[in-house]
Amino acid sequence: MERELRLMKGNEAIAEAAIRAGVDGYFGYPITPQSEILEYLMEANPAETTGMIVLQAESEIAAINMVYGGAGCGKKVMTSSSSPGISLKQEGISYIAGAELPCLIVNVVRGGPGLGTIQPAQSDYFQSVKGGGHGDYHLIVLAPASVQEMADFVELSFDLAFKYRNPVLILSDGAIGQMMEKVYLKPQKPRATEFPDWATTGKSASRERNIITSLDLDPEGQEEFNHKLQAKYAEISKNEVRFEEFQCEDAEYLFVAYGTSARVCQKSVQIAREQGITAGLLRPVTLFPFPSVRINELAGKIKGILSVEMSSGQMVEDVLLAVNGKVQVKHFGRMGGIVTTPEEVVEKLKSFFIGG
Amino acid sequence: MLEATGLKEIIKPENLTYRRSEVLVDNTLSYCPGCGHGTTHRILAELIEELGLQSQTIGISPVGCSVLLYHYLDVDIQQAAHGRAPALATAIKRLLPDKFVFTYQGDGDLAAIGTAETIHACNRGENILIIFVNNGIYGMTGGQMAPTTLIGMKSSTSPRGRDVKTMGNPLKMTDIVATLPGTYYVTRQSVHTPANVRKTKKAMRKAIEYQKLNKGTCFVEIVSNCPSGWRMTPVESNKWMEANMIPFYPLGDLKTPAE
Amino acid sequence: MAKIRGSIVVDVEKCKGCEVCMVSCPTGTIAMAKEVNSKGYFYAYPANPELCIGCASCAIVCPDGVITVYKTKI
């Protein structure tokens, strides 16, 4: 089957990719800058074609709990929102992680805290990779840097979610959600007709009842379950680290940046090299698991790392942990919805590490 | 099994009139003695068995005393976050429209933290059954005031009785959902006497059967007791319920299908 | 005229002694035991078995489903 080339917004690409990936249900609530996902799906009306359910919930809280219900039936279900809405979903996300349900959550990040701004930011990193809600848990976090990846990561997310029975978060931002790029779309996949054996689909006579819960009042049992979760996260960390390197082979200085900041830093590498500074870029594609091993390897060969993110410095903590003192690590980032320029990144690199 | 039996000569399989439903798991219920939750569970189990719905049922348990519903009913069950059961049920029923989907919720879960989910599921006319057990108190957390606590009723967070001026009025959720066009059948029952149990079972049977019609949300409130939270014996609590709860939450159908 | 006779079986260990069955019994068949079960509850038992008419009122109000009922015409 031919891939189809379209010009789309990142938000639209996610929506279209969801239909084509055979997603069973989308449950959303409007919030800028991600409302196009819900709008696109409502307009596309996949109920008539693939049978995919699209529902505008009464709140982000209801939407994430609809995801819990659908995921508990073994269906491919997803929701999307932007930062304040994702905060509202955190209780539900914790329950989903605790009940080990596969699903996709999309965060098209805007600046915060509070109502903040509707402009792009990367200030939800901690919330995304460290848990976000209560309890010891992790999401698998994918960070797209293009409209193409917005589309591609939908199917990847569901593959990972079902492989590990774990929620997956696509951590995007308002820039990637709103910008238009060309995107190759995969052909339509049929929706699944068979469901995992743990799903609540009605207890047949041949099996025990299936229970979806995150509750275990027995502390021994709850600790054992926590060990099981941690073992799962260790397995994910072993198998699923994804990253991209750009001109790292001969680099003396390394940018570490994801998403929109990575695109900016790609240009910064070019500018730096024009000025005789051999810079490279490591772009984490998975933020959990984080490419710590590779960053540590590179840290032994370079003179300095600049972690660039549109935040006050969140990912830089994971970079510091990865580097473990091998080389100096600095952070640079704009906040409040301002996208860093490539030139100011180069200037920061120079002022931190080279002087001048 | 240690038994206390009546006349041995009558105890023969052919004389069996009533037995515990096979849809009720052989576990001792975790509820306090005399609690209406057990009776409500039993009625639900009996109906699932009698209507042959065990393989078709997906239930949703709340947060509250009945959180462990899945220990007692031998059907597929999802345990919801506090108040969110109708959101789960919405997705489950839409994704599996041929299944029988019900939520089981207490007054704190349904009428306080879950008010939005309850009202919007009913207003969308989700084709689900909502079972609402209202005993006017938070049982599991130790007897705090609920949205449905009566005026003047004492609880651990209204120790001098519910004062309308500072604590607001008891909320009649069932009356509210009956006004919504999305609901199809709305009724209020109780399970404290054999006659009421029979009426409740009849009402709940209708509510379950209506789900096949795809006509909207069915909502069954059970006005119930909380002997521990009310600090009464079970028999006293049922009498108190009759004298105080039922006059404020009168029993009967609030909305019946126009047939 | 045929007389209806009933008989109940109480699952003693699951009974929590709430007495709701006792007050619901129209014939005074049921009383609470003087001894307790292993959980410490004074369990229900058919103290006057000959009075039972097998109406199942006790069983259908029992929150714990511990009563089985038999009935026959004699």
Side-chain angles (χ1 to χ4, degrees):
Chain A
M1 285 268 261
E2 286 276 314
R3 295 184 309 167
E4 188 185 338
L5 181 62
R6 295 254 286 266
L7 181 67
M8 295 182 108
K9 280 189 172 195
N11 288 336
E12 294 168 343
I14 281 217
E16 180 61 31
I19 299 171
R20 292 178 182 233
V23 170
D24 296 299
Y26 169 91
F27 306 93
Y29 186 83
I31 181 172
T32 308
Q34 65 80 55
S35 297
E36 293 86 357
I37 301 177
L38 176 58
E39 288 169 347
Y40 186 97
L41 288 169
M42 283 295 187
E43 181 63 34
N45 196 21
E48 296 292 322
T49 50
T50 67
M52 175 185 177
I53 304 293
V54 182
L55 181 62
Q56 179 170 337
E58 62 270 34
S59 67
E60 286 93 346
I61 298 170
I64 192 68
N65 285 284
M66 289 172 184
V67 166
Y68 180 111
C73 297
K75 299 278 186 175
K76 277 188 190 169
V77 288
M78 64 181 286
T79 184
S80 66
S81 191
S82 179
S83 309
I86 295 289
S87 292
L88 278 172
K89 290 183 194 290
Q90 291 302 334
E91 179 207 37
I93 294 173
S94 171
Y95 274 66
I96 286 170
E100 295 197 88
L101 298 177
C103 70
L104 169 59
I105 303 141
V106 180
N107 184 1
V108 183
V109 180
R110 56 191 257 180
L115 199 51
T117 172
I118 58 171
Q119 302 299 331
Q122 294 182 315
S123 41
D124 297 354
Y125 178 91
F126 282 150
Q127 185 197 52
S128 308
V129 306
K130 308 290 182 189
H134 59 283
D136 273 329
Y137 73 90
H138 285 288
L139 310 176
I140 298 171
V141 183
L142 298 170
S146 63
V147 173
Q148 184 65 55
E149 283 187 338
M150 289 287 259
D152 292 345
F153 285 1
V154 172
E155 200 174 339
L156 173 63
S157 295
F158 280 106
D159 289 347
L160 294 170
F162 276 83
K163 181 174 175 190
Y164 295 102
R165 270 191 77 171
N166 204 70
V168 175
L169 179 85
I170 292 182
L171 187 67
S172 177
D173 64 58
I176 296 167
Q178 292 296 328
M179 72 186 182
M180 290 185 99
E181 284 185 319
K182 66 176 184 181
V183 53
Y184 287 99
L185 295 165
K186 289 183 181 170
Q188 179 66 49
K189 269 179 69 171
R191 287 169 55 229
T193 49
E194 279 178 28
F195 303 101
D197 55 9
W198 48 260
T200 57
T201 51
K203 174 198 177 303
S204 65
S206 59
R207 68 160 167 85
E208 293 291 303
R209 67 188 183 283
N210 283 336
I211 297 163
I212 303 294
T213 183
S214 58
L215 176 71
D216 191 343
L217 291 168
D218 167 32
E220 304 280 337
Q222 189 59 251
E223 189 185 42
E224 195 187 314
F225 174 69
N226 268 275
H227 281 307
K228 186 187 154 201
L229 281 185
Q230 292 306 316
K232 176 167 83 174
Y233 303 143
E235 189 69 14
I236 291 169
S237 300
K238 203 175 81 189
N239 301 335
E240 307 299 345
V241 174
R242 287 166 168 80
F243 57 89
E244 212 178 62
E245 290 180 24
F246 180 69
Q247 301 197 11
C248 287
E249 307 76 28
D250 60 343
E252 287 184 295
Y253 298 96
L254 184 70
F255 298 118
V256 179
Y258 69 95
T260 294
S261 291
R263 291 174 72 116
V264 170
C265 287
Q266 205 166 329
K267 183 75 182 169
S268 302
V269 168
Q270 230 179 330
I271 296 170
R273 283 181 179 255
E274 281 162 11
Q275 297 178 15
I277 303 161
T278 44
L281 165 67
L282 185 136
R283 172 172 83 94
V285 171
T286 51
L287 299 176
F288 183 89
F290 195 69
S292 305
V293 174
R294 183 59 185 153
I295 290 174
N296 185 275
E297 280 168 14
L298 290 171
K301 306 178 197 164
I302 54 175
K303 294 181 182 165
I305 295 181
L306 184 61
S307 177
V308 181
E309 36 179 335
M310 283 136 60
S311 76
S312 64
Q314 299 188 16
M315 182 186 67
V316 66
E317 292 192 5
D318 283 337
V319 177
L320 281 161
L321 281 170
V323 168
N324 200 16
K326 271 190 182 174
V327 71
Q328 206 181 10
V329 176
K330 292 286 186 184
H331 158 77
F332 174 62
R334 300 292 300 268
M335 293 175 280
I338 295 177
V339 179
T340 320
T341 68
E343 292 77 14
E344 61 184 346
V345 170
V346 174
E347 288 313 306
K348 279 288 162 187
L349 179 78
K350 290 202 283 196
S351 72
F352 281 137
F353 296 110
I354 301 165
Chain B
M1 184 171 100
L2 192 59
E3 292 171 345
T5 57
L7 300 173
K8 294 263 191 316
E9 61 272 25
I10 298 170
I11 300 170
K12 295 175 191 162
E14 64 268 30
N15 293 341
L16 183 67
T17 297
Y18 182 90
R19 62 158 174 80
R20 187 185 166 97
S21 167
E22 282 165 3
V23 174
L24 215 50
V25 179
D26 192 25
N27 285 334
T28 301
L29 299 166
S30 54
Y31 304 109
C32 306
C35 174
H37 271 308
T39 322
T40 310
H41 284 18
R42 249 195 36 236
I43 293 169
L44 188 56
E46 286 168 14
L47 287 167
I48 289 169
E49 183 178 348
E50 287 164 26
L51 297 167
L53 289 173
Q54 192 177 18
S55 66
Q56 301 301 309
T57 299
I58 299 160
I60 297 130
S61 75
V63 170
C65 289
S66 48
V67 63
L68 293 174
L69 179 73
Y70 54 80
H71 278 184
Y72 312 123
L73 286 193
D74 191 17
V75 295
D76 281 0
I77 291 185
Q78 294 193 24
Q79 196 280 308
H82 201 18
R84 317 298 175 215
L88 272 67
T90 294
I92 295 169
K93 184 69 183 182
R94 291 204 181 201
L95 290 161
L96 298 169
D98 299 332
K99 304 292 174 184
F100 163 57
V101 178
F102 74 89
T103 73
Y104 188 107
Q105 304 173 256
D107 41 75
D109 191 88
L110 179 139
I113 194 165
T115 313
E117 283 78 4
T118 304
I119 286 181
H120 285 280
C122 288
N123 197 46
R124 286 189 303 263
E126 297 298 339
N127 202 27
I128 56 173
L129 166 61
I130 294 177
I131 299 166
F132 167 38
V133 179
N134 174 15
N135 57 13
I137 206 156
Y138 284 78
M140 191 192 226
T141 44
Q144 294 82 8
M145 182 176 67
T148 54
T149 297
L150 299 176
I151 296 166
M153 188 173 166
K154 286 182 179 174
S155 73
S156 67
T157 52
S158 58
R160 288 168 288 282
R162 182 176 193 150
D163 169 18
V164 174
K165 265 193 223 152
T166 57
M167 299 166 181
N169 289 283
L171 186 60
K172 293 185 175 179
M173 276 298 276
T174 307
D175 296 60
I176 293 171
V177 302
T179 66
L180 303 175
T183 51
Y184 188 63
Y185 175 53
V186 180
T187 187
R188 187 186 284 123
Q189 304 290 338
S190 78
V191 294
H192 67 298
T193 71
N196 288 105
V197 168
R198 289 193 178 94
K199 279 187 200 160
T200 298
K201 190 167 173 181
K202 220 169 153 183
M204 219 171 332
R205 182 189 297 270
K206 275 199 265 183
I208 294 172
E209 286 178 331
Y210 286 150
Q211 197 167 114
K212 291 194 197 96
L213 304 177
N214 270 325
K215 291 269 177 85
T217 312
C218 290
F219 191 100
V220 179
E221 174 181 348
I222 310 289
V223 179
S224 193
N225 61 345
C226 182
S228 299
W230 296 357
R231 295 162 198 268
M232 296 174 194
T233 69
V235 172
E236 280 167 8
S237 74
N238 283 338
K239 283 186 186 148
W240 192 90
M241 183 179 99
E242 240 171 29
N244 299 280
M245 292 281 281
I246 290 174
F248 190 79
Y249 299 111
L251 306 184
D253 291 341
L254 284 86
K255 185 178 193 175
T256 51
E259 276 165 31
Chain C
M1 207 178 92
K3 197 178 167 198
I4 291 174
R5 299 292 300 275
S7 187
I8 61 167
V9 177
V10 179
D11 183 346
V12 165
E13 281 302 312
K14 284 205 180 77
C15 177
K16 295 175 187 158
C18 73
E19 305 184 5
V20 174
C21 59
M22 184 177 79
V23 299
S24 299
C25 175
T27 65
T29 303
I30 299 173
M32 305 315 287
K34 297 279 180 284
E35 64 267 30
V36 294
N37 64 16
S38 70
K39 298 268 166 63
Y41 292 120
F42 295 101
Y43 56 88
Y45 78 108
N48 304 299
E50 68 289 349
L51 299 180
C52 181
I53 54 169
C55 69
S57 289
C58 54
I60 68 169
V61 290
C62 173
D64 292 281
V66 306
I67 302 174
T68 310
V69 185
Y70 297 84
K71 182 164 82 170
T72 188
K73 279 183 190 163
I74 294 175

